[in-house]
Amino acid sequence: GITDGVQPDAYNTYRQGRDSACADIVIATQKPDGEHAVMLSLRKPNVCFGNTWWIYGGAILSYASITEFIAERAQKECGVPVEPRAFLGVYRTCAADHIGSTLQPCYSGFAPYEALNRKTTDDGHGAIALFTLADLEQIPVAQQHWYPMRVSRLVLESLR
């Protein structure tokens, strides 16, 4: 679930006044026409950053390898196996619709286009779509957040 088995009231009490840590991964692919794209999902309204296009990841489990965790978590969220290839940096986000701020180490990974046939969604994600650099510019402002837009652009620009 969204709080990984921790009761929501305990989770929210803990989050007040503390940063949490979530690891994320930008999943890139190459479309049959040769153009590169990233896979994003539209977050459901009941989760933080609801109704925005987002990358994959979540709260890092204690004592877990971050790269192993993010590969497993991404596959759980979207059904596509991916391995982290490059570290993009650490970002800090605040969700207007939830408590607290989050430190987010972010990685990039690459999935073969054929692997995207396995894509599925979990309880926090709705639609899944591929976005090229030009497509990112077409996302309605209300469905954008600076963080996934920035790291998606960084990955796509590096693949040019």
Side-chain angles (χ1 to χ4, degrees), residues 9-89:
D9 58 336
Y11 180 81
N12 290 336
T13 299
Y14 171 78
R15 287 292 312 271
Q16 291 176 343
R18 293 180 176 85
D19 278 338
S20 65
C22 292
D24 294 309
I25 189 166
V26 179
I27 301 174
T29 193
Q30 187 170 20
K31 298 180 352 180
D33 65 6
E35 192 169 19
H36 287 97
V38 294
M39 188 171 75
L40 303 176
S41 68
L42 188 62
R43 297 197 37 102
K44 291 186 177 177
N46 62 321
V47 298
C48 58
F49 304 107
N51 293 315
T52 59
W53 288 96
W54 209 263
I55 54 180
Y56 299 94
I60 303 167
L61 302 175
S62 296
Y63 308 108
S65 157
I66 293 175
T67 54
E68 288 174 15
F69 166 79
I70 196 60
E72 181 180 307
R73 182 62 173 253
Q75 186 166 1
K76 177 182 167 189
E77 288 183 343
C78 69
V80 176
V82 64
E83 292 297 322
R85 285 191 174 182
F87 179 65
L88 299 176

Side-chain angles (χ1 to χ4, degrees), residues 117-148:
N117 291 330
R118 296 182 224 156
K119 66 182 186 273
T120 61
T121 59
D122 67 359
D123 60 351
H125 301 84
I128 293 177
L130 291 179
F131 293 89
T132 64
L133 271 172
D135 296 333
L136 289 174
E137 302 303 322
Q138 302 305 311
I139 296 174
V141 172
Q143 293 181 334
Q144 292 184 31
H145 184 275
W146 70 266
Y147 167 59

Side-chain angles (χ1 to χ4, degrees), residues 84-119:
R85 285 191 174 182
F87 179 65
L88 299 176
V90 177
Y91 298 83
R92 186 177 192 179
T93 62
C94 296
D97 55 357
H98 276 67
I99 295 171
S101 59
T102 306
L103 294 174
Q104 296 180 246
C106 188
Y107 295 81
S108 65
F110 191 87
Y113 185 79
E114 299 75 31
L116 303 184
N117 291 330
R118 296 182 224 156
K119 66 182 186 273

